[in-house]
Amino acid sequence: MDIIANYGTTLILVAAVFGFFMAWGIGANDVANAMGTSVGTRSLTIKQAIIIAMIFEFAGAYLAGGEVTSTIRSGIIDSDAFEGHPDLLVFGMIASLLAAGTWLLLASYFGWPVSTTHSIIGAIVGFALVSLGSEAVHWGKLGGVVGSWIVTPALSGLLAYFTFISVQRLIFNADSPLAAAKKYVPIYIFLTIMVICLVTLKKGLSHVGLDMSNAQSWGLSVLVSLLGALLCAAYIRRQKYNPQDDKDMHFSNVEKVFGILMVVTACAMAFAHGSNDVANAIGPLAAVVSVVESAGQIAARSTIAWWILPLGGIGIVIGLASLGHKVMATVGTGITHLTPSRGFAAQLATAATVVIASGTGLPISTTQTLVGAVMGVGLARGIAALNLNVLRNIVVSWIVTLPAGAILAIVFFYIIQWVFV
């Protein structure tokens, strides 16, 4: 208690710096995963992807990022085990942020698409085990998170598979694919906007003063989605299409239409990612602030300070802009050959899965969700369409991430404890 009373402000400042560092790592690695499909299909340039991420990642983190933070903070470890030891919880959360951020810096530098969720969960479990023992870990909740690592790639893969199959049957197999694209793509746009509007209005805006009923949320979501679909439909019909392009590359004009749609799904993916994965950076930070401001009291849930969500959103954006291009290259071109139509199916499936998880408060891995979706799109064309060597390397990096986060957190925990005690 004396440590928190004497060094409270210092501990919050240190946690804020490391929280920003962790958010930077999320931007460099996980956001690059999210935007990699758009860049890989050449629907967006890297510069354009960064601008989109700046706007929608920040919006997702600030408007819809509050729900998942409580799961990261109070679900992975048993807060009751730290009653009487609030200083250990504070030291551990600070160590976890530094450990996960360090691992993400290393992984991003080498272009490895790892899971930020794995990183922070491994770090939190690591410090909890060495500080108070196995009873400090909430193994039941951790089991649910581990289960989600299997369920979410499978779910996103199935969604992407059937989305792309529907695109093939409705558009590519039509007598006039370009006319079919003009007809059906606005429907896909409607569905994409609908997913984002629902999570924003039903869950995300209550802490900024807008708390709508279920009927109001659905009604406004339908209106906004319909307006977006109509605007995109008008834009698609006004575009110039050259029939000669299809002689050089089959369905070139159809893919041009999907290139427009990829911009919409990139926005959706960025928003969905920001709403879910900002918790990995600000969850531990929110725990530190809560404990220090309450003079050592550990609450299962507490109000997130106004400055924490913007801090996470800004860190994510800067991370993508500074080092995101390396992981983008791995994800966008390494797993399977992506065209705009395939990239759209993968992005929409990933966004829908992440938004569902964010709404339920379950911290999933965006990396695994996206890779599952890209695999689903590839499998729609047969197993030969997948680069199994790249997939093997990605899976190995996932396996290494969990123990790496734990080991680094243990080391940093002892160092921080030595500095302040």
Side-chain angles (χ1 to χ4, degrees):
M1 290 294 190
D2 290 339
I3 293 174
I4 291 177
N6 294 332
Y7 299 103
T9 303
T10 303
L11 290 169
I12 289 178
L13 288 173
V14 172
V17 171
F18 291 161
F20 183 85
F21 178 49
M22 173 62 182
W24 179 92
I26 293 172
N29 201 285
D30 249 18
V31 181
N33 293 337
M35 304 302 291
T37 49
S38 299
V39 176
T41 59
R42 298 185 179 180
S43 300
L44 292 171
T45 64
I46 290 179
K47 185 177 181 179
Q48 290 169 337
I50 290 172
I51 293 173
I52 286 176
M54 286 175 65
I55 298 170
F56 288 92
E57 285 278 347
F58 184 84
Y62 183 69
L63 297 177
E67 182 71 21
V68 193
T69 56
S70 297
T71 305
I72 282 285
R73 184 165 58 85
S74 62
I76 304 306
I77 57 175
D78 186 359
S79 59
D80 292 337
F82 286 89
E83 289 292 343
H85 305 283
D87 53 328
L88 295 181
L89 180 63
V90 170
F91 293 157
M93 287 300 182
I94 293 174
S96 297
L97 289 170
L98 180 57
T102 300
W103 171 246
L104 291 174
L105 171 62
L106 180 66
S108 301
Y109 179 78
F110 288 105
W112 300 335
V114 299
S115 169
T116 57
T117 309
H118 282 209
S119 302
I120 195 66
I121 288 177
I124 290 175
V125 170
F127 97 79
L129 285 173
V130 298
S131 61
L132 291 182
S134 60
E135 67 273 10
V137 180
H138 206 158
W139 296 107
K141 291 284 184 72
L142 184 62
V145 172
V146 171
S148 76
W149 299 341
I150 300 171
V151 172
T152 50
L155 175 60
S156 64
L158 282 172
L159 287 174
Y161 177 87
F162 287 112
T163 299
F164 186 64
I165 291 297
S166 72
V167 169
Q168 281 187 316
R169 293 185 177 179
L170 292 175
I171 297 175
F172 287 102
N173 294 341
D175 293 334
S176 177
L178 180 58
K182 293 179 180 179
K183 178 181 178 181
Y184 289 110
V185 163
I187 297 176
Y188 289 117
I189 291 173
F190 176 88
L191 293 173
T192 302
I193 299 175
M194 189 78 169
V195 168
I196 303 305
C197 285
L198 281 175
V199 71
T200 306
L201 296 174
K202 288 172 68 66
K203 171 186 78 71
L205 296 179
S206 59
H207 71 282
V208 292
L210 183 60
D211 196 1
M212 304 180 71
S213 68
N214 204 36
Q216 289 173 325
S217 298
W218 276 94
L220 186 57
S221 295
V222 170
L223 286 176
V224 173
S225 302
L226 188 59
L227 177 62
L230 291 173
L231 289 173
C232 288
Y235 181 80
I236 289 169
R237 293 183 182 279
R238 292 186 62 182
Q239 291 296 297
K240 304 286 186 185
Y241 301 99
N242 186 1
Q244 298 299 319
D245 292 344
D246 289 336
K247 292 183 178 180
D248 297 327
M249 189 182 79
H250 240 19
F251 306 119
S252 177
N253 283 312
V254 174
E255 294 294 354
K256 183 178 180 180
V257 176
F258 274 100
I260 299 168
L261 183 52
M262 280 292 289
V263 177
V264 179
T265 53
C267 298
M269 188 60 245
F271 185 95
H273 180 271
S275 71
N276 190 79
D277 277 37
V278 70
N280 294 333
I282 71 171
L285 173 57
V288 173
V289 174
S290 174
V291 172
V292 171
E293 290 186 345
S294 62
Q297 297 297 314
I298 300 173
R301 296 177 77 100
S302 63
T303 304
I304 299 174
W306 67 269
W307 54 270
I308 294 180
L309 282 169
L311 179 78
I314 293 170
I316 285 174
V317 168
I318 294 176
L320 172 63
S322 59
L323 200 60
H325 62 279
K326 293 193 175 184
V327 181
M328 268 191 206
T330 302
V331 175
T333 59
I335 298 172
T336 189
H337 176 65
L338 291 176
T339 60
S341 58
R342 298 167 194 161
F344 152 73
Q347 276 195 340
L348 178 58
T350 305
T353 305
V354 171
V355 164
I356 291 169
S358 183
T360 57
L362 182 66
I364 65 168
S365 166
T366 309
T367 305
Q368 292 189 346
T369 307
L370 178 67
V371 170
V374 174
M375 284 180 61
V377 170
L379 286 173
R381 298 183 296 124
I383 191 70
L386 297 174
N387 189 329
L388 297 180
N389 289 331
V390 171
L391 283 173
R392 183 192 65 232
N393 293 337
I394 290 174
V395 171
V396 169
S397 72
W398 290 349
I399 295 172
V400 172
T401 293
L402 199 65
I407 292 170
L408 286 170
I410 291 170
V411 173
F412 291 138
F413 174 76
Y414 283 128
I415 293 174
I416 292 169
Q417 193 177 36
W418 174 77
V419 170
F420 283 97
V421 175

